[in-house]
Amino acid sequence: NLTISGGDRGIASWSNNTIVLRNIKVEGYKNYGLTIGGSSVLDGKNLIVDGSYSSASSSERGLVLGRDGVAYLENLTITNNQKTGLELFNAQIELLGTNVFTGNGKGIYVGTGSFLKTSGTTSISNSSDYGVNIKQGGIADLNGLTLNVSTTGIVAVTNSTVNITDSSLTSSSGRVIYSRGGVALDIDNTTITGNSSKEAVNLNDGSNLQIKGSTVSGGKTGIKAVYNSTVRLQGGNTITGNTQHGIYLLNSTLHQYSDAGTTTISSNTGSEIKAERSYLNLEGVTITGTGGSTEVDLKYGSLLILGSGSSVTGTVTCGNTAPDNGTFVNNSGTSVTTSGC
């Protein structure tokens, strides 16, 4: 075992090098624990990057990988960096084994032209800023992620791509997932637990979400999609126990096809679905609220086509007069209570 302590940077490589690190601890640095760039390749196992140095700068970063750098790391621990734990720009990294990011500003930052893949188990906790931040066309393939923060968990903006599989994501005060600007999100077999003050999943400005086999609960709203965003339910989802709506749409689209399996939207405190100026086409969706209560609220020209395999317990409300009224088309073969439709 080797400990590298002190300096502005613990380890740095700028051009076309291959670095192999085993059983290394880097600590006591002022700005950067490791800086790898210039087409260098880092092969590491059992690395600890500890940013808990009392004289570190506010821009302290644990591992920065950039300028066509590539890294394959197994069992990586990055802690207590004021700015960022792991930062990528024009770089690629795969995390194997067991990886821990705790007490950093941002846990992981995936910048322009970068790719992050987590193939083992990765935990992110106690970030003072975002858990994971993906920007400017970055790609994050997150498998086996456990995220537990009080801030916004995952932020993706500006044509980024995020795939989340076999994960558990929680925020005690912020949004669990926030996207804006042409982001593509694909979520599979993941538990998303929000809090009563924020939406668990918030999609903005042309974001697209596909979600399968997942549970969204505990948020102010389970899934909120606004301004030309799209939610495609792929079956096997449960959206429940949110303090306002299960799903809220504004100028957006929600759909599920009959071959996708069943999605259940139930036991949310307000309406199960509220839509304004939006389009909904739902097959194989079970909407379960309280008989006599508005469980699907269609406003300002929203259109819901309820297809085969779908049902609604509660009332579909369309409003009474323009421009407040929506439209409901029942092709489900089941009886649905309506008001103003």
Side-chain angles (χ1 to χ4, degrees), residues 103-121:
N104 301 292
K106 289 184 178 73
I108 300 175
Y109 174 83
V110 182
T112 302
S114 294
F115 175 73
L116 163 70
K117 182 176 183 179
T118 64
S119 297
T121 60

Side-chain angles (χ1 to χ4, degrees), residues 239-244 264-270 272 288-290 295:
I239 301 169
T240 188
N242 298 285
T243 61
Q244 289 190 0
T264 299
I265 306 171
S266 67
S267 302
N268 298 285
T269 303
E272 307 301 328
T288 304
T290 302
E295 298 301 343

Side-chain angles (χ1 to χ4, degrees), residues 41-282:
V41 177
L42 172 62
D43 178 351
K45 185 175 182 179
N46 301 331
L47 305 181
I48 298 173
V49 186
D50 182 1
S52 53
Y53 173 49
S54 60
S55 297
S57 74
S58 60
S59 60
E60 179 190 33
R61 294 162 169 88
L63 167 57
V64 176
L65 185 67
R67 296 187 302 166
D68 300 315
V70 177
Y72 303 92
L73 302 179
E74 182 176 353
N75 302 336
L76 171 68
T77 297
I78 300 181
T79 62
N80 300 318
N81 291 275
Q82 294 187 47
K83 183 72 173 181
T84 312
L86 169 63
E87 182 171 311
L88 310 176
F89 57 97
N90 291 315
Q92 300 181 49
I93 190 169
E94 182 172 6
L95 300 179
L96 307 162
T98 301
N99 305 285
V100 176
F101 299 83
T102 188
N104 301 292
K106 289 184 178 73
I108 300 175
Y109 174 83
V110 182
T112 302
S114 294
F115 175 73
L116 163 70
K117 182 176 183 179
T118 64
S119 297
T121 60
T122 298
S123 66
I124 299 173
S125 62
N126 298 325
S127 298
S128 60
D129 201 340
Y130 308 139
V132 183
N133 188 194
I134 307 103
K135 298 180 70 173
Q136 304 295 336
I139 301 172
D141 192 350
L142 306 173
N143 179 70
L145 173 64
T146 298
L147 183 146
N148 192 340
V149 295
S150 61
T151 56
T152 304
I154 296 173
V155 175
V157 299
T158 320
N159 301 313
S160 298
T161 300
V162 184
N163 303 310
I164 305 170
T165 307
D166 300 332
S167 295
S168 176
L169 314 176
T170 302
S171 175
S172 62
S173 300
R175 298 178 177 96
V176 183
I177 298 173
Y178 175 80
S179 71
R180 185 184 74 246
V183 170
L185 284 159
D186 195 321
I187 300 173
D188 188 6
N189 192 35
T190 291
T191 299
I192 299 170
T193 306
N195 58 84
S196 60
S197 63
K198 297 289 184 180
E199 305 83 9
V201 178
N202 190 334
L203 314 173
N204 282 266
D205 297 335
S207 294
N208 293 278
L209 166 65
Q210 295 191 86
I211 184 167
K212 176 182 179 182
S214 297
T215 298
V216 183
S217 65
K220 182 178 180 180
T221 295
I223 299 174
K224 179 179 179 180
V226 302
Y227 307 128
N228 300 311
S229 294
T230 299
V231 179
R232 180 172 179 177
L233 304 172
Q234 297 283 67
N237 300 297
T238 300
I239 301 169
T240 188
N242 298 285
T243 61
Q244 289 190 0
H245 314 295
I247 296 176
Y248 171 76
L249 305 171
L250 173 63
N251 291 329
S252 292
T253 299
L254 171 69
H255 57 91
Q256 176 171 294
Y257 299 127
S258 59
D259 59 354
T262 301
T263 287
T264 299
I265 306 171
S266 67
S267 302
N268 298 285
T269 303
S271 54
E272 307 301 328
I273 299 174
K274 181 175 181 179
E276 299 179 319
R277 302 183 182 93
S278 295
Y279 172 76
L280 305 82
N281 191 337
L282 302 178

